[in-house]
Amino acid sequence: MGYALYPGPYLAHVGGGGRIELKGLVYGGDDGGELVQSVDPSRPLRRSTSTNGAGETPRVRAAMAAEAVGVAQRVLELGIEHAKTRMQFGKPIGVYQAVSHQLTNTYTDVELARSLVYWAAWCVAEEDEQAAVAAAAAKAFAAEAAVAACERSIQVHGGTGFTWEHPLHRFYKRALWLEGLGSRPSELRGEVADAVLGVTVPV
């Protein structure tokens, strides 16, 4: 297959100072903190020993949401490619509803997430007053969409999707990493509800 996920320092540099610190965990930089087991080994996390580096800013959330959309888009492409080429009973498996509906749901999720990410990126770039709510909404939806896209694509691929030789497991790990780092989607939706309703909504 030849696909690899770029572990990339870019996410840490988005936060400034080459590191992001979220809820006592640090990504990027090396402050000597204890290494923490991570679902995505290409993105090591450490326990924080200082308070240097960006926290969970709208800019960081928007960047994480953008990466989640990229993951979801790529696994959708892999699923579509497989559904078009894998034959079963003399037909491509994509003609069967159990496969086509999974890919259709993923497509709609990816496009909705992409719109939220564009909104969040614009708000951050323009320093708009809605940047915080836009970034929270984008990360909440895009991270969950990426995880769901990976799970659906693995289902479409059948047994092949679970093997180490196929790249899907790397994308799945990255999606889970993005979903779990910082505030969880349910917490982010709570922030959006607080902003929209103007009252504190229990999560």
Side-chain angles (χ1 to χ4, degrees), residues 11-197:
L11 188 57
H13 291 295
V14 165
R19 56 183 264 142
I20 299 172
E21 185 173 334
L22 304 170
K23 295 190 174 185
L25 295 175
V26 175
Y27 169 65
D30 185 6
D31 62 355
E34 171 193 355
L35 197 60
V36 177
Q37 184 88 19
S38 171
V39 69
D40 184 354
S42 70
R43 287 269 173 95
L45 296 172
R46 297 184 175 279
R47 296 220 185 275
S48 176
T49 58
S50 69
T51 56
N52 299 330
E56 199 167 358
T57 65
R59 183 179 178 88
V60 169
R61 285 179 174 172
M64 292 174 77
E67 185 173 13
V69 168
V71 167
Q73 178 66 47
R74 186 64 191 126
V75 298
L76 173 62
E77 291 166 0
L78 290 171
I80 290 170
E81 179 184 333
H82 185 73
K84 286 180 176 179
T85 58
R86 173 76 168 100
M87 303 296 282
Q88 193 68 31
F89 305 111
K91 301 177 192 173
I93 64 169
V95 303
Y96 301 109
Q97 287 182 349
V99 174
S100 62
H101 287 186
Q102 297 276 8
L103 295 172
T104 303
N105 289 340
T106 300
Y107 177 82
T108 56
D109 285 352
V110 170
E111 293 306 318
L112 288 169
R114 189 184 326 274
S115 291
L116 285 168
V117 168
Y118 286 159
W119 176 44
W122 181 87
C123 286
V124 168
E126 297 297 319
E127 298 179 6
D128 189 86
E129 62 185 22
Q130 289 189 309
V133 71
K139 185 185 182 254
F141 191 84
E144 286 184 333
V147 170
C150 291
E151 290 170 349
R152 291 175 188 146
S153 191
I154 288 170
Q155 288 293 316
V156 167
H157 280 79
T160 307
F162 286 96
T163 63
W164 285 106
E165 290 77 24
H166 201 280
L168 275 173
H169 71 94
R170 291 189 193 112
F171 289 107
Y172 189 41
K173 289 174 185 175
R174 179 63 54 85
L176 290 170
W177 188 91
L178 289 165
E179 182 184 47
L181 188 63
S183 297
R184 303 287 296 177
S186 60
E187 296 170 309
L188 294 168
R189 282 191 294 275
E191 288 181 29
V192 172
D194 291 351
V196 170
L197 299 174

